[in-house]
Each structure stands twice: as C-alpha cells, then as structure tokens.
Amino acid sequence: MATKTAAQRREQARIDYDAFLRSCPSHQLLGRLSDKWVSLVIAALSTGPERYSDLGRRIPGVSPKMLTQTVRTLERDGIVSRTVTPSVPVRVDYELTPLGRSLAGLLTAVKDWAETHFEEVRTAREAYDRENPA
Amino acid sequence: MATKTAAQRREQARIDYDAFLRSCPSHQLLGRLSDKWVSLVIAALSTGPERYSDLGRRIPGVSPKMLTQTVRTLERDGIVSRTVTPSVPVRVDYELTPLGRSLAGLLTAVKDWAETHFEEVRTAREAYDRENPA
DNA sequence: CGGCATCCTCGGCGATACTG
DNA sequence: CAGTATCGCCGAGGATGCCG
C-alpha cells in the first residue's frame, strides 16, 4: 500500500521525536528527572552525604540494582559525586555536587508545592470520583 | 528458616513504603509528576488551552491511549479542566486550572534549569565517558 | 473527532547468586 | 560493604478496532 498507516506515521513521529530530543536539551533532562528513583535519591542526599547502604535504607523499596543504576547516571550527569575510601571494608560516599544542590532546590520547591496543595488535589479527586462512579 | 531473607526484608520495606506513601502526600504527588508524559502535557498546556488532537501533535511520540490516560489523571487531580463542545464533530478542549498553572510555573523553573545547565551536564557526561570507556 | 476495550509484546525491574 | 551478572516475570504501553 502506498498510503501510510497510522502506525507508520507515529513511528515517523517517534523518529522525529528522537531527533527533537537530541536537539532539545531541556526535554532530555526533563525525561531523566521523570525517573522514579532520581527524585528520591536527590531528596535523600539533599540533607548531606550518605553511604551506599545508608542510601538504600533511606529509600524504602529500592533494590541494590536500581540504586546503583540511578546513582551511576546521576554521577555521569555531574549531579552527584562518588567518593571511594579504600579501607577494609570499602566505604563509598555519595554527595550532591554544587550542580546537584541547585537542582535539589527546585525539587524541594515542587515537594513544598505538593504539600501545600495536596488538600486541593484530594478534594478534586473526591469530586471527580463522585461524578464518575467507577 | 526463622531468619528473614533479604527479599523478605525488602518486601517488608515495600509494605512500609506503601503505608508511608499513603500517609505522605508529597511523595504521592511527586510520583505522579515522575510520569513521563505528565510534564510534557503540562508544558504543552502552559501556553494556553489546546484541543485533544492538537495536544497529540504538540507532543511527538505520544499514543492516543497515553495521551488520554495522562490527561484523565490530571483532570482527576484538578490540574487540568476538560471542556466538551457538543458540536458535530465533537470538540474537546483542555486547559490548565489555576492549580495547574501554579504547578506549571515550577516545572518551567525546572525546564529553565535544564536549559541553563545543560552544557555542564554535557561536559560532565563526556568527562565521565572518557574515564569509563565502554 | 475524541475516546474506550482488547490483545499482545517487550524491556524495565526485582530476585538471586557471585566477586573484589 | 559495595557492587556486577544473569534470569525471569509482569505490567506499562503500543497496535487495532469499534462507538457516540
């Protein structure tokens, strides 16, 4: 068939989107921040440096794998720094870089927003659920 | 065996985490915002009301399903409003509520941060990749 | 046009076990 | 202690088709 299917058109859109992402820094970083654990790790580090296992304990439900993965990408992006102390046993500390601290400030603002407006959201949800009974 | 395995301990942690989430509004909303499309939809609406299909076009790569899903939860949370004009064909407009607009301001701040600091991030990535080949 | 139900895939993530 | 390697599952999300 000569005419494109909806799927083909959307795939084209995906390609365009990738190109768009490559040329659009902000969306790239925005996407990174949308990761479930990223905000939690940054929040956990915003009060000061933390060891690997302490981090794991402060973020309930995270697996070692995801913790490492998250912390790695954040290190790569220059958001956190990783310090290895070659004692026995080894000790590894993670800490927000200045860059990371500036970002943490913004996330804190979002968190504060969530706290102040949660009541409104809850009310809105209840109203919505009342009007749209399952 | 009487002693708990690591998995059991983490599952317990998950349960604790769920309870924590239920009692901790900010993390609940934070989680919601971590959704990939949420920030994009809010960003797309921050410049003004938009029709359903226009939204879809302004957010490359989104499927109708996800667009609807995202926009629904945002409506439920009182972040966006949905206006149906029962003409033929139907016309549906989405718009940020005042609540949504206050949130959009914060997300814009994050976006601005991303734009200002993207160079630093890029540099950090290159340095990291140079030191950690493959 | 806008939207929902259904099916199906595919990769993210958790569990487990092993190393420096 | 701080990871890495491997496997397997499950559910988010894309494709498709049908309604108001």
Side-chain angles (χ1 to χ4, degrees), chain A residues 29 33 42 45-46 77-80 95-110, chain B residues 106 109-118 120-121:
Chain A
L29 286 179
L33 294 178
I42 294 180
L45 285 176
S46 64
D77 287 355
I79 308 283
V80 308
E95 183 178 8
L96 287 178
T97 63
L99 183 63
R101 252 173 272 128
S102 71
L103 177 58
L106 294 180
L107 293 188
T108 303
V110 174
Chain B
L106 294 180
V110 174
K111 191 185 154 224
D112 290 345
W113 181 92
E115 277 163 5
T116 5
H117 295 287
F118 181 70
E120 300 178 51
V121 171

Side-chain angles (χ1 to χ4, degrees), chain A residues 46-65:
Chain A
S46 64
T47 55
E50 210 80 46
R51 300 185 54 169
Y52 179 85
S53 43
D54 288 337
L55 258 184
R57 247 169 274 119
R58 289 195 48 172
I59 306 177
V62 73
S63 65
K65 179 181 178 180

Side-chain angles (χ1 to χ4, degrees), chain B residues 37 63 65-66 69 90:
Chain B
W37 301 112
S63 65
K65 179 182 178 181
M66 291 320 293
Q69 192 177 109
V90 195

Side-chain angles (χ1 to χ4, degrees), chain B:
Chain B
M1 63 185 74
T3 54
K4 292 176 181 171
T5 67
Q8 286 173 326
R9 263 179 276 113
R10 255 213 313 289
E11 194 195 343
Q12 181 57 45
R14 248 209 80 245
I15 295 172
D16 293 349
Y17 182 64
D18 286 348
F20 174 65
L21 264 194
R22 243 172 276 116
S23 68
C24 182
S26 67
H27 279 70
Q28 230 179 94
L29 286 179
L30 220 54
R32 181 60 47 88
L33 295 177
S34 308
D35 184 80
K36 181 183 177 183
W37 301 112
V38 166
S39 51
L40 295 175
V41 167
I42 294 179
L45 285 176
S46 64
T47 54
E50 209 80 44
R51 299 185 54 169
Y52 179 84
S53 42
D54 288 337
L55 258 185
R57 248 170 272 120
R58 289 195 49 171
I59 306 178
V62 72
S63 65
K65 179 182 178 181
M66 291 320 293
L67 183 55
T68 298
Q69 192 177 109
T70 304
V71 116
R72 271 295 111 82
T73 67
L74 289 177
E75 186 198 0
R76 190 174 105 101
D77 287 354
I79 308 283
V80 309
S81 64
R82 179 170 175 272
T83 314
V84 181
T85 309
S87 54
V88 176
V90 195
R91 174 199 177 96
V92 180
D93 286 86
Y94 291 94
E95 182 177 8
L96 287 179
T97 63
L99 183 63
R101 251 173 271 127
S102 71
L103 177 57
L106 294 180
L107 293 188
T108 302
V110 174
K111 191 185 154 224
D112 290 345
W113 181 92
E115 277 163 5
T116 5
H117 295 287
F118 181 70
E119 267 314 308
E120 300 178 51
V121 171
R122 218 176 44 76
T123 311
R125 279 184 192 170
E126 285 171 3
Y128 184 91
D129 292 343
R130 215 177 302 113
E131 293 166 22
N132 304 58

Side-chain angles (χ1 to χ4, degrees), chain A residues 32-51:
Chain A
R32 179 62 46 90
L33 294 178
S34 312
D35 184 82
K36 181 183 177 185
W37 302 111
V38 165
S39 51
L40 295 175
V41 167
I42 294 180
L45 285 176
S46 64
T47 55
E50 210 80 46
R51 300 185 54 169

